[in-house]
Every structure is written in C-alpha cells, then in structure tokens.
Amino acid sequence: MKIDVVTLFPGWFEWFTQQRHVQNAQVLGHELDFVDLRASTPLNAGQVDDTPYGGGAGMVMRVDVVEAALRERYGTAPPPHRTIALSPGGRRFDDALATELAAEPALTLLCGRYEGFDERVHEHLATDVVSIGPYVLSGGELAAMVVMDAVMRKLPGVLGHEDSALEESFSEALEGAPEYPHYTRPFDWRGHTVPDVLLSGDHARIREWRLERSRERGRS
Ligand code: SAM
C-alpha cells in the first residue's frame, strides 16, 4: 500500500514515521510519503487559504491550492485512487472503514487547517470525507495519524504477530463488540485475583467466557 499525506505541516509526522509498526510496514514494502501543500501553491508568498465568502471568522483552505498539489503529485486531480479529506463533520472512522481502507492499493489523506477546506475539495477532489470523532482538532495531522495507525496495523506482517489484529475490539471475530478483559501475572494483586476459568486449561470454556465478556461490553 502507498499512503500519501497532504499537509501544511509535514514535520508533524517525523515522530510517527519512527514508530516500530510504521517502520515494519515500510520494511515490508508499504510506502508513506508527505506532500507539503505550500510547496506547490500557485499563489504568491506561499498563500494556501483565503477569507470565507459570506463573511465570518477564520480562513478557508483553497480548492485550487489542493488541486495544484494533487496535480503535481499525480499528474491529475482528483488522484486516481481513494482520497480522504479529514473533517470533523465527515463519516465517522471505525474498524470497518479501517479494514476497508487497508485493502486499498493507495490512499491520499488531505489534512485541513484553519476553518477547513473549501467545500469543493470534499465534493470534487476527495472520494471520502472522514471524521475521527465528534470534536474539533486544530488540524488534520493527528486525524491522519489515527487513520494510518488503524489501517497499517491491519496490513499482514506489520504487527509481527498476525492474530493480534484479527481478534480485537470491534473485529468480526468478536461480533463487532469491544474486546474481552485480559489478565497477566501476578495472579493475586492486593486481593484482586484472576478469573478461575482462565487457569482451567479448557480452551473451549475460555473461548466461551471471553466471547460472553465481549458481548457484555458490547451491550453496556
Ligand atoms: N471549522 C471546522 C468545523 O467546525 O467543523 C473545524 C476545522 S478544524 C479547526 C481544522 C482541520 O482539522 C479540519 O479541516 C480537519 O482537517 C481537521 N480536523 C479537526 N477535527 C477533526 C476530526 N474530528 N476528524 C477529522 N479531522 C479533523
């Protein structure tokens, strides 16, 4: 998979790209790259935004600036693959969408700033508008990292132990529910002990117990 992030702040991703699973993904041949929106703006003095039609506070990111960045990168705009504009008002990001995106050969993530993108970016340059939750961040960079992290850990080999991503919260294996509780040593911590079933060695019972705890969490 090839992921490009279009951003005004490529430096935000320096820490992210140093993380183990992100580096694992790159060793496996997946590519991660960052496109600086300001580098290709056709406007003077690196301008990328403008005042909103109709008035109001803040600045809006211009559609022609985003188009120029995409054309320089791909020779065409919109790009020839799935392109996600990050926005608080978009489709809520969830495990199902992460699984869907992990199957794509290429993704472009568009990070907004200020008041966000001119609506025509959403309508004509992106295939999807995605929100990581009902709150407002200062920019799309953290949202892009959330999306990339969730997508990349689903790529075979990235976690190093394949089962981890198959049976975890919200996965099909757990019927879409949160994961069951985990315990490790010590068995007795200040009087709080581990459920007996987990020490029984009876794998069918353990599996049933875990599924039931997971379903309970899903109902609450
Ligand atoms: N004026 C916008 C609103 O009220 O919906 C908020 C813009 S926000 C300050 C700037 C940028 O941060 C957005 O264009 C988007 O790219 C990103 N962003 C902020 N919150 C986000 C969220 N919950 N999910 C995805 N992206 C978000």
Side-chain angles (χ1 to χ4, degrees):
M1 161 178 270
K2 179 159 180 28
I3 306 180
D4 285 340
V5 182
V6 178
T7 171
L8 285 171
F9 298 99
W12 275 56
F13 296 90
E14 281 167 21
W15 169 84
F16 182 74
T17 51
Q18 285 164 19
Q19 302 313 302
R20 174 70 64 84
H21 63 300
V22 178
Q23 297 206 330
N24 283 349
Q26 288 171 309
V27 168
L28 288 168
H30 302 292
E31 293 175 48
L32 191 51
D33 214 346
F34 303 93
V35 176
D36 185 347
L37 261 178
R38 221 178 281 282
S40 55
T41 178
L43 308 175
N44 290 333
Q47 184 187 349
V48 294
D49 55 356
D50 223 320
T51 52
Y53 279 117
M59 300 293 274
V60 177
M61 292 184 66
R62 288 177 56 136
V63 61
D64 51 349
V65 169
V66 179
E67 181 193 14
L70 297 175
R71 277 197 194 283
E72 181 160 309
R73 185 69 172 183
Y74 307 111
T76 177
H81 53 252
R82 198 112 177 230
T83 298
I84 293 167
L86 295 153
S87 170
R91 168 182 173 184
R92 189 72 56 82
F93 187 62
D94 60 12
D95 190 69
L97 183 52
T99 302
E100 197 182 309
L101 296 180
E104 297 286 343
L107 288 179
T108 293
L109 303 178
L110 304 176
C111 302
R113 279 271 158 178
Y114 320 123
E115 287 305 317
F117 291 113
D118 183 303
E119 188 61 19
R120 292 166 291 186
V121 171
H122 296 173
E123 290 173 352
H124 303 293
L125 296 178
T127 54
D128 306 66
V129 182
V130 169
S131 168
I132 63 160
Y135 42 78
V136 179
L137 304 166
S138 311
E141 288 73 19
L142 286 173
M145 287 186 232
V146 167
V147 170
M148 286 193 289
D149 192 281
V151 167
M152 288 169 79
R153 67 199 306 286
K154 288 183 180 288
L155 300 174
V158 164
L159 291 184
H161 39 100
E162 294 307 290
D163 292 347
S164 304
L166 288 179
E167 185 175 297
E168 62 182 359
S169 291
F170 319 119
S171 61
E172 275 181 32
L174 296 182
E175 302 162 359
E179 198 181 46
Y180 44 81
H182 293 289
Y183 296 88
T184 186
R185 293 183 183 86
F187 170 75
D188 185 336
W189 177 72
R190 303 188 189 285
H192 304 288
T193 56
V194 174
D196 288 338
V197 61
L198 297 178
L199 287 85
S200 68
D202 182 338
H203 295 295
R205 266 185 69 214
I206 292 171
R207 171 96 195 119
E208 195 42 47
W209 181 88
R210 285 178 164 166
L211 269 178
E212 200 37 54
R213 298 293 80 71
S214 180
R215 289 181 191 128
E216 263 172 25
R217 288 180 164 183
R219 286 192 289 267
S220 63

